[in-house]
Structures are given as C-alpha cells and as structure tokens.
Amino acid sequence: MGPIQIKKIVENAHVGESVTIHAWVRTKRESKNAVFIALNDGSTLHNLQAVAEPGQLSEATLRQITTGACLKVIGTLVESLGAGQSVEVRVQEIHIYGTADPDEYPLQPKKHSLEFLREIAHLRPRTNTFGAILRIRHALAFAVHKYYNDRGFFYLHAPVITASDAEGAGEMFRVTTLDMNKPPRDEAGKIDYKEDFFGRETNLTVSGQLEGELGAMALSKIYTFGPTFRAENSNTTRHLAEFWMIEPEMAFFELKDNMDLAEDFVKSVIGYALEHCVDDLDFLEKRQADEEKSKPQQERAMPLSEKLRFVVDNPFERLTYTEAIDILTKSKPHKEKKFQYHVEWGIDLQSEHERYLVEKHFKKPVILTNYPRAIKSFYMKVDDAAPGVPGPTVRAMDVLFPGIGEIIGGSQREENYDVLLERVHEVGIDPENLWWYLETRKFGTAPHSGFGLGFERLVQFVTGMGNIRDVIPFPRYPKSAEF
C-alpha cells in the first residue's frame, strides 16, 4: 500500500512506534545538541520534525540535506519538546533520494509572490499555500461526486471534441489534423474541412450541457464534470482558457426544483470543505488576513470562514430580475451615481450590482430568476406573457455569492420543439448543426432543468484566492501554456 503518510502519523501518533517517512525537506537547522529536519510529504499542512544526534550523520550527508531534498527517514516516534507538535522522529537512518542545490532551488524558506510562483508552476505545489489549495480542490471534487452519487445522479462523460457551440459565443479552440501550411480548399477557396479527420469543423467543448440534456432524457438525473475551453483573449483574474465545469441536468425538474438543488448543492460541498479541510482553511484565512492589512478598511473582504458560513448558514433570497432592477434603481449607490455601470431593465447585471444585492441589501446569497430573453441563451424556456403567448423573459436563474457575484448560471430548458426551433433561428444558429438536440423535443419531450458551476470559481471562492490562475495546478491563459 506504499508509505504511511505524515498526516496519518500525526493524527494517530503512538510514542515508541517505529516509522518510515518519505518526504521533502522544508528546513534544516543544526545546533550543538542535534540536527532538526522539517519534513513534509504533501498529505498535510503540518511538517513532521526529524531529530538526529550530533555526529550521527556524516558531513557529506548533512551537506546534501537542504531545502527541497527528498529523503527516506527511518526512526522512532518520541514526545516532542518543541512547540506546535506532539511528536517527532528520533532518526535511526536516513537515505537521500534526491538532492536540491540551494544555489539553484528556487523555493527557499521565505515568502514568494504568487506571480513568481506561476513562473515555476512545476514546483509551486510544494509551498504551504498551494499545498493547501490543491488539498481543498481535491476535497471539493470528491464532495461533488459524493453529493450527486448519494442523490441518484449518474455521472455522464460529455465529449471534449464537439461540432456544436453550446453558448453561441464562437470563442472556441479548433481541433484539426489538416496541414495549416497547405490546407485543402473547396471550389470557393475556403478550407475544406470535409478532408479533415472528422469530415467537418470541430472544436474543444465550451460546455457539456447539450449532451447532458440527452442523458437526462434517458437516465432522468445526470451530471457532467469535465474540462471545458474558451478561446477568450482575457487576462483578468476571473478567466481561464481551460477550466472544469460541473453541469447537472434533470428531467422533470422545473425552475423551483432547479433552485432548490443548486442551493442545497453548494451548501453541501462548501460544508464538506469546512468539515474536512480545517487546517488548510485556517492557514488560508490567516494568509488572507495578512494581505488585507495593507488595504483600506472599506475594501477589505470578509474573513474566509465568515464568508463560507455566510453561504452555508443563510437561506438564499429568491427574486426575479425585474424585482432586482427595481431595488438597484432605488438604491443609494445608483442615485449617487456610484455604480460604474448604469442600471436599467434589459442590461446584463455587472458584478458590482450582484454584490450590492448580496452584501448590502439582503446580506445573504441571492438567486435571481426570469431574466430578459435577449441577454440569455437560446435553450432557456421562454416565459408566457399570456397562455400560449411568448413573453420577454426566460426561466433563467443565477446564484449570487459575496465577493464574486454570479457563481452558478442555469435555467429550465425549453422543451417545446416549435418554440426552441424559433429561438435557434432567432439567434442565428443553423438548425442542421443541432438536429440531434432538437429531435429530443420531438420524441418524448419532458420538462427539464440544469445549471453550470465553474469548478475553479468554486475553488477560488472557498480558498479566498484573488486570482483564478492560482486554484488550478497548471493554468492556461493567453500566451501561457508552458507546463
């Protein structure tokens, strides 16, 4: 089963027990009475201290035990006399797997900037900050799968290569095997994708939703959880070119059912992190507090634990987009022209508007519904203005959180074939490209709903990190795909 992790040793320490540790050196300190080596194997935030007697290790061995070196340490657990640890390892034997020249190893025992650590993404998981982030990321991913499995959902693997653009945005990465230096061309002089591997234009997916709906029309409740890609030339702290999406789709769910599931889901997975990632969250909260000290009081964010409890402990406020616009137009920031963006019915709400509703007006998470159809996707169910008469809004829903605004976007899907076909034409999509999607509305159609949650957005919220590039192991963004 492999080596025993330091986490298990620390949690179940038995003085006098013989142990074998495989880990990397965080620090080494020598005194007249002993050599102290702090070891960490990534299983926990906490180091395990190994103590060697004077003269027990040769000078040659001591020179090789530097920050970043990898060791196997065999010894016995003894009570620790030092602060911050209950046990330490009395060294009997040390084997050096790999050395790390201190003149070259970039991670020395000091504070490094996040910008610098992005340049050495192959090593940054060894830092306390990124170790904590990656352990929390794992816990959240596990909690997602557990949540849906426990509630009778089936995990559906949506394709990564697709010929459709689910969002209609057109910002997609092309997949091709054609020689771009000498591509085949048709009679009109355009690239002839009929000669390509799939016989047509294909791209990396921007969403698994459309395929997820097909699964829901057979299995009733499914979820996808996979990589998605956007070729958006954005360098903001909120955008990645490659990220992971969680997208449940449920047959026989209407808008209220969708809202109930979304609220319960995010409360559950955040609650799981609060329960199982205590040490890492405490560390990140202290880190955030240190950074906040340099900011003016009015710009400081909620303490991390308070922000997470804000979501878990409060019922989400539910209101329509129209009601939200009315609140915003009557608000003090709007009247005093303190909002950067103007507010009127029909606009796509900005983060500042969403955060005002959450943090200032309601002081709880918010779910907004029934947005203008003009600013939402073609697949969202159109509200009736009167029986059989399409109205100006759709059964959309956005879940809004403190600090970031929208974290979930979803809707009841349009199940009526004729209405959906009209919407496809309305937004300029060729129905032939979505014949299979439209056909599900002809063969046993049913009310159904779903939503999407960007996993990195969730990890960013839970960890309190300011830049989304710091919550994924190897971020992809414009001009950056080195690792």
Side-chain angles (χ1 to χ4, degrees), residues 265-284:
F265 168 57
V266 291
K267 285 184 172 181
S268 176
V269 295
I270 293 173
Y272 185 91
L274 282 168
E275 180 181 354
H276 292 89
C277 303
V278 175
D279 289 341
D280 289 325
L281 287 172
D282 284 348
F283 169 79
L284 291 173

Side-chain angles (χ1 to χ4, degrees), residues 419-477:
V419 175
L420 183 60
L421 182 61
E422 181 181 334
R423 287 285 285 147
V424 166
H425 284 298
E426 191 177 297
V427 299
I429 296 175
D430 185 351
E432 287 299 313
N433 292 334
L434 287 177
W435 66 270
W436 45 272
Y437 182 73
L438 291 164
E439 207 164 81
T440 58
R441 274 64 174 177
K442 294 169 65 178
F443 305 140
T445 191
H448 61 289
S449 300
F451 60 81
L453 168 62
F455 185 54
E456 281 70 30
R457 186 70 64 86
L458 174 65
V459 179
Q460 187 179 10
F461 179 79
V462 172
T463 60
M465 298 303 291
N467 195 317
I468 202 166
R469 297 172 185 179
D470 297 325
V471 299
I472 189 170
F474 306 104
R476 298 288 181 258
Y477 49 94

Side-chain angles (χ1 to χ4, degrees), residues 51 149 255 429:
V51 183
N149 182 72
L255 184 60
I429 296 175

Side-chain angles (χ1 to χ4, degrees), residues 196-229:
D196 208 346
F197 186 90
F198 293 105
R200 61 186 303 169
E201 289 189 63
T202 52
N203 307 283
L204 296 178
T205 185
V206 299
S207 169
Q209 179 203 315
L210 302 189
E211 291 84 0
E213 287 187 49
L214 311 186
M217 289 296 98
L219 301 175
S220 292
K221 295 193 297 185
I222 67 91
Y223 71 104
T224 71
F225 187 178
T228 51
F229 308 84

Side-chain angles (χ1 to χ4, degrees), residues 145-155 219-223:
H145 288 295
K146 185 178 188 304
Y147 179 88
Y148 287 117
N149 182 72
D150 290 351
R151 287 158 181 78
F153 282 69
F154 298 99
Y155 182 26
L219 301 175
S220 292
K221 295 193 297 185
I222 67 91
Y223 71 104

Side-chain angles (χ1 to χ4, degrees), residues 237-239 266 270 288 301-302 304 307-308 310-311 349-359 365-366 398-409 453-468:
T237 59
R238 298 178 58 175
H239 290 91
V266 291
I270 293 173
Q288 178 183 292
M302 285 185 196
L304 186 56
K307 183 182 71 172
L308 300 183
F310 181 91
V311 170
L349 293 178
Q350 300 296 317
S351 178
E352 62 175 349
H353 306 137
E354 296 167 340
R355 291 185 60 183
Y356 173 82
L357 293 169
V358 172
E359 298 167 26
V366 169
D398 284 349
V399 179
L400 313 181
F401 271 14
I404 60 172
E406 180 196 337
I407 193 166
I408 284 178
L453 168 62
F455 185 54
E456 281 70 30
R457 186 70 64 86
L458 174 65
V459 179
Q460 187 179 10
F461 179 79
V462 172
T463 60
M465 298 303 291
N467 195 317
I468 202 166

Side-chain angles (χ1 to χ4, degrees), residues 113-156:
S113 72
L114 296 176
E115 291 77 14
F116 169 71
L117 292 176
R118 285 179 214 132
E119 297 173 4
I120 54 167
H122 58 308
L123 294 173
R124 70 178 184 169
R126 298 191 192 183
T127 64
N128 283 337
T129 298
F130 285 92
I133 291 167
L134 293 177
R135 285 187 293 271
I136 292 170
R137 184 182 172 102
H138 159 79
L140 289 169
F142 178 82
V144 168
H145 288 295
K146 185 178 188 304
Y147 179 88
Y148 287 117
N149 182 72
D150 290 351
R151 287 158 181 78
F153 282 69
F154 298 99
Y155 182 26
L156 187 80

